[in-house]
């Protein structure tokens, strides 16, 4: 299976900060990369699909970039509701869509 | 509104069997793959497997092959995840999610997600 590695595993930041989370694939996955946000006790929510496409209804402060093996999720100006855990997921491997281990974003 | 609604929380003993469900509505259930994801307490998301309700084509992650069975009943727009003999290590939240994207070529993504079913296995 394709392995997905996120960094950092946890991150402390303040409201208004610009934050970047990185996801690296063990092999090239073209642009087949999704980002999800999960809040405690809730199901994951799709933020970004196909590496850089913003899901409908998601604030424009979220953006994604990258292709091949290296990808980033950027939050341009952190809001209080953005403190959550973020996961990347590859959809390149046919019907075996592995996740990264998650990045927990906490309030500084 | 496209929606996936999962069955309620379960408390079981080791060795018991269990089948949890995920009912789709607001779209053509037979035209979209449904995936299952495990989240153990305090841990990350793990890909378990996926089914196409139109013809019941099913694929499993190697980690879950032989441990669980994924099925679907298209007549009632419902996908299932089942265990024949639960273990304490099966204690987790389980999510279903619909695959979006092209029908034969990616990229693909998962949206929406069900609300999750908490399975607790304890003697």
């Amino acid at each position: 299976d394709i392995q997905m590695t996120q960094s950092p595993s946890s991150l402390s930041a303040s409201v208004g900060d610009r934050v970047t989370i990185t996801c690296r694939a063990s092999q090239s996955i073209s642009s087949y990369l999704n980002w999800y946000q999960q809040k405690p006790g809730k199901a994951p929510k799709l933020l970004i699909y196909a590496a850089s496409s913003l899901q409908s209804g998601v604030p424009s402060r979220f953006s994604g970039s990258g292709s091949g093996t290296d990808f980033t999720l950027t939050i341009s100006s952190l809001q209080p509701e953005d403190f959550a855990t973020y996961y990347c997921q590859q959809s390149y491997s046919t019907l075996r869509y592995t996740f990264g281990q998650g990045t927990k974003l906490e309030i500084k | 509104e496209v929606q996936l609604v999962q069955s309620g929380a379960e408390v079981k003993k080791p060795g018991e069997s269990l089948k949890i469900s995920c009912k789709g509505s607001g779209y053509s259930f037979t035209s979209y793959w449904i995936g299952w994801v495990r989240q153990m307490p305090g841990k990350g998301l793990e890909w378990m497997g996926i089914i196409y309700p139109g013809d019941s084509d099913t694929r499993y992650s190697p980690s879950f092959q032989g441990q669980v069975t994924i099925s679907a009943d298209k007549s009632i727009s419902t996908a299932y995840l089942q265990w024949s003999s639960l273990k304490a290590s099966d204690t987790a939240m389980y999510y279903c999610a619909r695959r979006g994207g092209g029908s034969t070529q990616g990229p693909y993504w998962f949206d929406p997600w069900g609300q999750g079913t908490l399975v607790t296995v304890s003697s």
Side-chain angles (χ1 to χ4, degrees):
Chain A
D1 279 355
I2 298 174
Q3 306 303 313
M4 306 301 294
T5 304
Q6 290 181 232
S7 61
S9 296
S10 63
L11 174 61
S12 294
S14 302
V15 173
D17 283 353
R18 180 183 180 90
V19 167
T20 298
I21 298 169
T22 297
C23 180
R24 175 164 288 174
S26 59
Q27 67 181 73
S28 177
I29 58 170
S30 184
S31 63
Y32 291 28
L33 192 283
N34 307 315
W35 289 98
Y36 300 88
Q37 176 194 66
Q38 188 181 33
K39 296 182 178 179
K42 298 295 187 182
K45 172 188 172 184
L46 178 67
L47 298 178
I48 302 285
Y49 62 94
S52 60
S53 295
L54 191 68
Q55 172 68 349
S56 176
V58 174
S60 59
R61 61 182 180 272
F62 291 93
S63 63
S65 64
S67 66
T69 60
D70 294 313
F71 302 86
T72 58
L73 172 69
T74 299
I75 311 172
S76 60
S77 179
L78 270 175
Q79 298 303 300
E81 61 268 29
D82 300 338
F83 292 95
T85 300
Y86 294 84
Y87 295 93
C88 63
Q89 180 197 34
Q90 62 82 18
S91 65
Y92 185 83
S93 180
T94 303
L95 299 174
R96 281 154 68 154
Y97 306 127
T98 47
F99 293 93
Q101 81 278 17
T103 296
K104 186 173 184 179
L105 179 53
E106 299 175 302
I107 301 173
K108 184 182 284 185
Chain B
E1 178 193 9
V2 176
Q3 200 172 5
L4 296 175
V5 177
Q6 297 184 231
S7 50
E10 302 274 1
V11 179
K12 292 289 190 178
K13 291 182 173 14
E16 291 185 332
S17 63
L18 176 63
K19 192 174 190 178
I20 64 175
S21 66
C22 169
K23 183 174 177 61
S25 62
Y27 72 100
S28 175
F29 185 73
T30 55
S31 299
Y32 291 83
W33 292 80
I34 295 285
W36 286 95
V37 174
R38 183 175 79 174
Q39 187 167 40
M40 299 178 77
K43 301 299 184 182
L45 304 174
E46 299 176 87
W47 178 256
M48 299 180 71
I50 193 167
I51 187 166
Y52 188 72
D55 62 6
S56 291
D57 186 4
T58 307
R59 312 293 175 88
Y60 295 92
S61 164
S63 301
F64 292 92
Q65 180 82 47
Q67 308 305 307
V68 298
T69 301
I70 294 170
S71 61
D73 184 340
K74 60 186 178 183
S75 70
I76 55 171
S77 301
T78 301
Y80 301 97
L81 178 65
Q82 70 180 93
W83 296 259
S84 58
S85 181
L86 286 159
K87 302 183 281 288
S89 57
D90 293 317
T91 294
M93 182 71 82
Y94 294 88
Y95 294 101
C96 62
R98 189 187 80 162
R99 193 186 81 170
S103 58
T104 57
Q105 188 171 352
Y108 303 111
W109 53 87
F110 287 85
D111 181 74
W113 291 60
Q115 82 278 19
T117 296
L118 180 63
V119 174
T120 303
V121 184
S122 174
S123 55

